[in-house]
Amino acid sequence: RIMRLIYIILISLALSLGAAIGMHCRSVSILREQQQQERRPRSLFLQPLWLVGTLILLMDAIGDFVFIGFIPQSILAPLGALSLCWNTILSPCFQPDERISPVSICAVIVIYAGTLFTISFAGNASPEYDLEDIVSFFAEKRFRIY
């Protein structure tokens, strides 16, 4: 069971890295089209790099959807914060004029450490509720206060 969680977490990390790459592919494609002086910019659907980026993002979304059924949200949700980290790390690779500041590097380290800490202590059980349970939650005082 623990190995299964580790595999899913690693795959989720790879998917979030892929999503960051997909986003950067799309933005680079759009920037390249805008810089073309000799012709009118093509539609997004006619830009191969944009299409590759979109396909990568689509695969990430499908993977996220599938993994929601395999592991609890308390583990999967913190992994979403890593998309910000991947974007920060990959920015100079796709846009050479981008620079990562020391503060950004520290922030990325803190986010990674916080994510690992959160995942380490997250519950790995997903309770199942039927309709009667959910309706009873709405009737509770703490819900009304919230």
Side-chain angles (χ1 to χ4, degrees):
R1 177 142 173 97
I2 296 294
M3 286 307 293
R4 183 177 141 211
L5 280 175
I6 291 171
Y7 288 138
I8 291 173
I9 288 169
L10 290 175
I11 292 169
S12 183
L13 285 171
L15 286 171
S16 70
L17 172 63
I21 291 171
M23 290 295 291
H24 283 291
C25 287
R26 289 168 49 133
S27 66
V28 166
S29 177
I30 291 169
L31 288 173
R32 284 183 184 168
E33 282 297 313
Q34 289 174 348
Q35 292 172 350
Q36 294 291 331
Q37 304 285 324
E38 65 273 359
R39 63 177 165 78
R40 189 171 163 229
R42 296 177 289 181
S43 165
L44 295 175
F45 298 108
L46 298 175
Q47 300 173 27
L49 189 58
W50 188 88
L51 289 172
V52 168
T54 302
L55 184 63
I56 292 170
L57 283 172
L58 182 63
M59 289 187 316
D60 172 62
I62 291 169
D64 286 344
F65 181 74
V66 168
F67 289 136
I68 286 173
F70 287 117
I71 61 175
Q73 278 296 107
S74 60
I75 293 175
L76 194 58
L79 293 173
L82 299 182
S83 294
L84 174 67
C85 297
W86 290 126
N87 282 329
T88 303
I89 293 167
L90 292 174
S91 286
C93 299
F94 286 89
Q95 298 177 6
D97 56 330
E98 290 277 331
R99 298 286 177 249
I100 301 176
S101 70
V103 172
S104 294
I105 292 171
C106 290
V108 165
I109 291 169
V110 167
I111 292 170
Y112 271 108
T115 300
L116 288 173
F117 184 77
T118 303
I119 290 172
S120 299
F121 293 102
N124 55 359
S126 281
E128 293 186 22
Y129 300 108
D130 60 12
L131 182 59
E132 292 172 4
D133 293 331
I134 295 172
V135 170
S136 70
F137 291 146
F138 286 116
E140 290 183 9
K141 183 178 179 180
R142 64 180 170 188
F143 177 79
R144 289 189 304 249
I145 291 171
Y146 176 74

